[in-house]
Amino acid sequence: MQQLLVYRSSAGSGKTYTLVKTYLTLLFQIPSDYGFKQILAITFTNKAAAEMKKRVLDALDKISKEEAQNNLAIQIAKENDFDINTIVQRARIISQKILHNYKDFNLLTIDKFTNKVIRSFSNELGISTNYHIVLEENEFIEDVVSEYIDEISKDEIQLEILENMIDHSINLGLKNNIEKQLNKLKNIILKSNGNFKNPMSFNEIQDFRKWVYNDLQTKEKQIKELGNSGLSLLNEFEIQDHWMSYNRIKSVLNTFEGLSILSFKDIEKWKDFLQRDQWFKKTLKKEEIGRINLVYDQIISIIEDIIKYSTLWLKLLEVHKMIIPFSMVQSLIGKINQEKTSQNSILISDFNDLVSSIIKEEPPGFIFEKIGSRFKYILIDEFQDTSSLQWNNLIPLIHESLSVGGQNLIVGDAKQAIYRWRNGNVNQFVDLPKIADLALKGLYEPLFNKSILEKELDNNWRSSKNIVGFNNWIFKEI
């Protein structure tokens, strides 16, 4: 029966147990004892994949040994109107078939499945079948960056640019580490898939760098003049240091002297002092307060201007630090691609882009044929951690399964989304069966809407009643 079953359930509610039970149900539902070849079960870590494989094999073994007394077998038989004796008999046979054809036991991580697709299409993608997968991307990129810096230091034009940048940094009282800053651009590099094109020309970048540098100096001059103006007012009206709360006013007025160590945290503290009016002590005498009031509005106005210009200075400083590294990204990506080719390597982050190109160009049936498996049933665990690209790659395959009457299962818990750092998109789980990608929405969403069945696992098998009650109350309140 065509179905897209979605379980939205919390930690400890038995999601993995449900996935394993669904997997076993499909094994007994499929007439062939090789039915496991038609099932693709996907999770996100090697540990989780290994655990699920073990659970499936252990369950089959227990059913074989405990026979009609096995609780899981009884449950599966009752829910699906299966003959329990047939289940017991087939459990032994299926277990042996899996062990003898273990490579077809497709309970694996999404990265391994992606790798399987890429290897099947290596000729079409123009890559070697014996490529090396780079899992430690950061380390790989850091090594290439280091080598890249050595190379550009031998180029006269690039060397002159770097020397100018260093001169500017010295004038601003800053330390600049070009290698460290290039490594900060890893996200641009990893997400570019080698296709990044700098929107600014070489001359435009140089002109922009000069403008930023000049504006930084202008802001420094304004901050210094404002500070001196404020200090002169304090002297003119004989405002005493011991009247001030923790000498905060002079700390702000002397900002110019400490620009090299200024941070956005300092700015936020000053804003807080402004909001709370925490510049002078609350225990001052009437005549002291009277003298402060003569100059208070002017001092506060100066502090507000210093905060404004200091904020702009810090923002410009961040821009100045990254202009040169940003200008190098395009050539650095070329160096990374060159290194990948020479090492016959593919970064793990390249995988989903490569598969996406296959999915867009080839029909799902042909993809299944190329990888040597036609999956009629697709089960996805921990769906809340799936990235948009990973999900977009799976959508046509699930649609193909549904179109031939297959059953599909998606299990997840939005509260347990932990892979945002790997572009995990929990919203696509929350929004199911809606599809966010407009290029896929019209073609695939109607069948998803027609096939979806949403369920929840209401029992918690991991925590005590009091803890569950407390958690339910907390989430209801927020």
Side-chain angles (χ1 to χ4, degrees), residues 279-329:
W279 301 107
F280 293 97
K281 293 177 180 177
K282 305 298 182 185
T283 56
L284 298 178
K285 296 175 184 177
K286 188 175 181 179
E287 57 269 24
E288 293 169 343
I289 295 172
R291 197 183 305 172
I292 289 169
N293 286 339
L294 294 173
V295 73
Y296 183 82
D297 288 343
Q298 289 174 274
I299 292 294
I300 293 302
S301 178
I302 289 171
I303 289 173
E304 288 174 340
D305 284 342
I306 288 176
I307 289 174
K308 180 177 75 174
Y309 289 121
S310 296
T311 302
L312 291 171
W313 187 87
L314 283 172
K315 289 179 178 179
L316 283 168
L317 184 65
E318 291 304 310
V319 173
H320 183 269
K321 285 180 184 177
M322 299 309 295
I323 289 174
I324 298 302
F326 184 72
S327 71
M328 295 175 173
V329 168

Side-chain angles (χ1 to χ4, degrees), residues 77-89:
K78 186 177 179 180
E79 290 177 1
N80 299 277
D81 197 24
F82 293 161
D83 176 59
I84 195 162
N85 293 319
T86 304
I87 287 178
V88 171
Q89 183 182 4

Side-chain angles (χ1 to χ4, degrees), residues 321-420:
K321 285 180 184 177
M322 299 309 295
I323 289 174
I324 298 302
F326 184 72
S327 71
M328 295 175 173
V329 168
Q330 192 167 337
S331 57
L332 174 59
I333 288 174
K335 174 68 178 174
I336 289 170
N337 289 335
Q338 178 186 331
E339 201 62 31
K340 286 195 290 187
T341 302
S342 68
Q343 294 184 22
N344 193 25
S345 299
I346 296 177
L347 301 184
I348 191 72
S349 59
D350 294 338
F351 268 36
N352 293 309
D353 290 299
L354 288 169
V355 169
S356 180
S357 66
I358 296 168
I359 296 291
K360 287 176 182 175
E361 294 173 12
E362 307 291 350
F366 180 64
I367 294 170
F368 287 149
E369 184 181 327
K370 286 283 284 185
I371 63 177
S373 302
R374 177 169 282 276
F375 299 116
K376 191 176 179 181
Y377 312 93
I378 299 175
L379 317 177
I380 307 175
D381 192 21
E382 305 293 356
F383 185 81
Q384 74 277 353
D385 292 321
T386 312
S387 73
S388 298
L389 194 52
Q390 287 171 333
W391 175 227
N392 289 348
N393 289 342
L394 289 170
I395 284 171
L397 306 183
I398 292 175
H399 188 273
E400 174 74 4
S401 166
L402 292 171
S403 66
V404 294
Q407 292 174 260
N408 297 268
L409 174 70
I410 290 176
V411 176
D413 176 14
K415 297 189 293 296
Q416 293 187 73
I418 60 172
Y419 274 80
R420 192 172 178 182

Side-chain angles (χ1 to χ4, degrees), residues 151-187:
E151 287 182 6
I152 63 171
S153 63
K154 298 169 186 175
D155 183 287
E156 289 185 11
I157 296 175
Q158 292 284 2
L159 186 58
E160 183 181 350
I161 293 170
L162 289 176
E163 286 173 346
N164 286 337
M165 187 195 74
I166 291 167
D167 288 342
H168 283 179
S169 297
I170 291 170
N171 291 337
L172 293 168
L174 303 170
K175 292 180 180 179
N176 236 331
N177 186 324
I178 191 73
E179 188 170 335
K180 185 177 179 181
Q181 286 152 8
L182 274 171
N183 279 313
K184 282 184 180 178
L185 297 172
K186 284 192 190 95
N187 281 340

